[in-house]
């Protein structure tokens, strides 16, 4: 029996603490759309996407209204285009990106992800065409997201691709310079990318997934922060217990939404992604949770430990609340999308190096970080190599989504708008060159999995 | 389907009458009512069964919201399951 207090607690989480379901994402396989003729291929994927996801947005809105829980985004992920389009006789996949954009707009979703390639061990022709097409594709489309997986614990790191992605990010920034290099906000470079991640910009529909699945990404940093406000001075056992209980409640809502969406759309339920996804709104920040634990500012010594506890407790609480958990599942630390992180960077408590340390213990990696426009491609590649190495050695997903904003210097600020937020330019250690290191290319071999010291 | 209807706002004559009239008109049966006044503010949580009702939940929500706005109270109607899943294993 539900009590009055339960009802009031749930509704307070939604209205005051900004509890929401961040996304319902439909994964759609495009493997059955392959065709050597580009025009025919584009027509195939357009039809598959628009028929599969015809009712996705309306279903999401119905569930949102009936249960009174905001569902912020409805999204689509597709088979990595480098795989789906590999048979096409072409040297550019830009028309494919334009078709994805058009199909996604037709069904009314917020984003479509999967303009992707998985190249941790090597390239096919399709992988090369896709990576070459990324800057132009992101410049000519609005809601297409792109990702490249270039490293894994099993395969090592493709350093040729690391070098190339530094250049791709620079070109993407240049081609979208009139929009503050917004193209780079839609491009993620991964190591150990999961094939069932519902979050953008890194979502793609993995090759081992069913034809169609529905996955849900939860949110709720505000709810966790609020729960910790009653625990001033309490020890970490109590802190961890409280976060677990809160994560359980948040995830149960996600599970309900996923179950309903799956039933109504007639599409199997995939996974719940247990990520605490922040927004730039006040009261919806992961950094503020860390500060609530007793740090004067995010980035102070102790931040990595606080984040490790948070990330682990969220998983422990969430795992029991859902029948299938997957995706990225952890706390996100996207700088421009988190009001507390923005504040920490602005006042100097949070640096690139501390963010890198934080990525060792939390979900994903260096995310939504605006850097100086004249940062060299080799330096960006160096950042990518470091993150990929952390992911490879620690058997976890890591990623880089940095935005070298043309014409901007440390001290400037950039606005991306909406959920992407705003960000001061974060200083990068670029006074020393990584050029010769990155120029080597080849592969970093897969790591040994014993002698783990 | 069981509904949880929550009503909050400044107290005045006729709030319960208005809400229950809308529910009755739409064949929604009330199972329990919990109501009080705190510092002049009206709070009510009402549990109802809508199995026999013909109206779609979104339409009922719209009627309740609009009529509530006219007398200065906020009315929400939600499917009971969101509270069940969050607070019961």
């Amino acid at each position: 029996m539900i009590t009055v207090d339960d009802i009031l607690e749930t509704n307070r989480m939604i209205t005051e603490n900004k509890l929401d379901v961040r996304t319902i994402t439909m994964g759609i396989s495009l493997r059955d759309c392959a065709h050597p003729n580009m025009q025919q291929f584009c027509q195939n994927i357009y039809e598959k996407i628009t028929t599969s996801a015809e009712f996705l947005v309306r279903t999401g809105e119905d569930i949102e209204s009936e249960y009174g829980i905001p569902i912020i985004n409805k999204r689509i992920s597709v088979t990595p285009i480098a795989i789906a389009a590999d048979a096409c006789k072409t040297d550019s996949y830009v028309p494919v990106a334009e078709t994805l954009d058009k199909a996604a707009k037709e069904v009314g979703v917020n984003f479509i992800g999967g303009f992707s390639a998985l190249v941790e061990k090597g390239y096919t022709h399709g992988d090369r065409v896709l990576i070459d097409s990324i800057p132009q594709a992101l410049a000519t489309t609005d809601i297409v997201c792109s990702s490249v997986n270039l490293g894994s614990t099993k395969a090592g790191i493709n350093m040729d691709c690391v070098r190339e992605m530094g250049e791709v990010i620079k070109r993407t920034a240049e081609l979208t310079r009139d929009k503050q290099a917004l193209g780079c906000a839609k491009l993620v470079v991964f190591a150990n990318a999961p094939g069932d991640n519902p979050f953008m910009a890194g979502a793609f529909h993995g090759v081992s997934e069913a034809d169609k699945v529905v996955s849900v990404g939860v949110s709720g940093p505000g709810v966790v922060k609020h729960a910790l406000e009653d625990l001033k001075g309490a020890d970490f056992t109590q802190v961890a217990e409280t976060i677990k209980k809160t994560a359980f409640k948040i995830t149960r809502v996600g599970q309900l939404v996923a179950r309903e969406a799956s039933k109504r759309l007639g599409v199997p339920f995939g996974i719940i992604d247990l990520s605490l996804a922040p927004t730039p709104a006040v009261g919806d920040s992961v950094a503020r949770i860390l500060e609530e634990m007793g740090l004067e500012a995010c980035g102070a010594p102790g931040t990595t430990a606080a984040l490790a506890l948070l990330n682990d407790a969220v998983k422990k609480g969430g795992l029991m609340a859902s029948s299938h958990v997957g995706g990225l599942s952890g706390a996100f630390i996207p700088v421009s999308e988190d009001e507390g992180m923005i504040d920490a960077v602005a006042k100097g408590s949070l640096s690139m190096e501390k963010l890198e340390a934080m990525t060792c213990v939390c979900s994903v990696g260096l995310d939504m970080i605006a850097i100086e426009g004249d940062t060299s491609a080799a330096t960006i590649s160096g950042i990518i190599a470091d993150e990929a190495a952390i992911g490879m050695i620690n058997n976890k997903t890591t990623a880089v989504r940095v935005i070298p904003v043309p014409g901007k210097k440390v001290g400037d600020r950039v606005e991306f708008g909406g959920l992407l937020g705003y960000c001061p330019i974060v200083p990068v250690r670029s006074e020393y060159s990584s050029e010769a290191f990155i120029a080597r290319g080849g592969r970093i071999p897969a790591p040994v999995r014993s002698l783990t010291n | 389907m069981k509904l949880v209807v929550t009503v909050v706002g400044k107290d005045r004559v006729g709030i319960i009458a208005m809400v229950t009239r809308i529910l009755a008109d739409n064949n929604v049966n009330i199972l329990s009512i919990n109501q009080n006044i705190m510092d002049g503010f009206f709070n009510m949580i009402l549990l109802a069964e809508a199995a026999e009702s013909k109206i779609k939940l979104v339409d009922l929500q719209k009627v309740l919201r609009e009529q509530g706005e006219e007398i200065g109270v906020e009315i929400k109607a939600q499917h009971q399951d969101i509270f069940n899943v969050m607070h019961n294993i």
Side-chain angles (χ1 to χ4, degrees), chain A residues 23-44:
Chain A
T23 177
I24 299 181
T25 303
M26 181 185 274
I28 303 171
S29 170
L30 301 183
R31 280 155 61 186
D32 54 355
C33 298
H35 199 282
N37 179 289
M38 173 61 93
Q39 211 177 349
Q40 186 62 48
F41 173 71
C42 287
Q43 195 182 327
N44 292 352

Side-chain angles (χ1 to χ4, degrees), chain A residues 396-420:
Chain A
K396 75 184 286 294
T397 307
T398 49
V400 173
R401 183 163 51 149
V402 293
I403 303 139
V405 190
K408 295 285 182 183
K409 292 276 173 202
V410 169
D412 294 341
R413 204 176 97 146
V414 281
E415 298 267 354
F416 301 112
L419 282 180
L420 296 172

